[in-house]
Amino acid sequence: MAEVIVAFDVATDSEAFRLADALPDLRWAKIGPTLFLRHGPAVIEEFRKRGIKIFLDLKWHDIPNTVTGAVRAARELGVDLASVHALGGAEMLAAAAAAGGPVRLAAVSVLTSHTSASYGEAVGRADADVTAEVARLVRLAAANAIDAFVTSPLEVEAMRAIVAPETWLVVPGIRLGGGDPGDQKRVADPRTAVRAGATHLVVGRPVIGADRPDVVYNQICEEIA
Ligand code: C5P
């Protein structure tokens, strides 16, 4: 069954733990740069004490040696999943995977905030076909020992067809019907994403911005059960 990863995109650890207290069924927390830069390893330690799995989403994109060091440090912290950018290239991806051990590495393909126009602008191509680009990056990462990928809900079905059955497809850009997409451009509802082949849904604002985060979290879990 697919799992829900809540993105703890909040400003402080007290806010994060208050939110975690309000989510008794929480299994996964995604820790991003804001919380990690403010509170560092302590915030991960506290989540782990609560039995919650950690996705450390710092999206490393650096030279292989530097990324190896980051992955080793994540391993020491007991992180379960960490992200790297597929655009870091073959050598960096292989180095990250080799350093991971129990830390699974997820390769970010094309950010869910990109349209084909904005991605094309970034990579210097007028007509970037985002799905083809995601497939290209997924193949590159898979060839370099990466077995989890971050894609938007719009590419997940096509990626499921080209990766091994046990591969994790970690999918942000999740919105409940009619939900405000914010800066996300490639979005879908939880059930659509899971039917297309997502194994993990990353959900931030729809849960953390809700008056009753527990109600929205449970609704998502029910939708994908
Ligand atoms: O608030 P929202 O549900 O849009 O949050 C999505 C989360 O997933 C954010 O923490 C964002 O950093 C992360 N993410 C993403 N797109 C990617 C990789 C990660 O939105 N390609």
Side-chain angles (χ1 to χ4, degrees), residues 35-208:
L35 207 49
F36 195 72
L37 282 167
R38 289 233 168 86
H39 302 285
V43 79
I44 291 179
E45 209 174 301
E46 175 59 28
F47 273 111
R48 290 191 66 226
K49 263 196 226 148
R50 294 171 180 229
I52 294 164
K53 290 189 198 164
I54 302 292
F55 174 16
L56 181 62
D57 187 23
L58 300 178
K59 298 188 182 67
W60 295 307
H61 186 174
D62 211 317
I63 61 171
N65 185 56
T66 300
V67 171
T68 297
V71 173
R72 283 195 188 132
R75 189 172 168 164
E76 283 162 25
L77 292 178
V79 160
D80 299 282
L81 180 67
S83 55
V84 289
H85 268 287
L87 278 168
E91 200 187 328
M92 187 210 79
L93 292 163
V103 182
R104 194 183 280 249
L105 274 306
V108 176
S109 53
V110 175
L111 294 170
T112 38
S113 53
H114 269 309
T115 59
S116 61
S118 69
Y119 187 75
E121 180 188 51
V123 297
R125 250 183 276 151
D127 57 346
D129 174 340
V130 169
T131 303
E133 188 62 5
V134 171
R136 188 184 71 74
L137 291 167
V138 164
R139 285 200 174 95
L140 172 72
N144 287 283
I146 300 287
D147 58 358
F149 301 97
V150 184
T151 77
S152 98
L154 305 195
E155 299 90 42
V156 70
E157 190 171 3
M159 295 316 110
R160 181 45 73 202
I162 64 170
V163 296
E166 64 280 6
T167 302
W168 287 11
L169 293 178
V170 179
V171 178
I174 301 299
R175 293 294 181 269
L176 289 156
D180 178 7
D183 54 353
Q184 301 284 24
K185 301 294 187 305
R186 307 196 321 281
V187 300
D189 64 83
R191 191 176 291 141
T192 303
V194 169
R195 282 200 180 140
T199 57
H200 296 73
L201 303 183
V202 176
V203 193
R205 287 162 288 184
V207 169
I208 68 172

Side-chain angles (χ1 to χ4, degrees), residues 24-42:
D25 298 323
L26 181 71
R27 292 169 51 88
W28 276 93
K30 185 176 87 76
I31 309 293
T34 306
L35 207 49
F36 195 72
L37 282 167
R38 289 233 168 86
H39 302 285

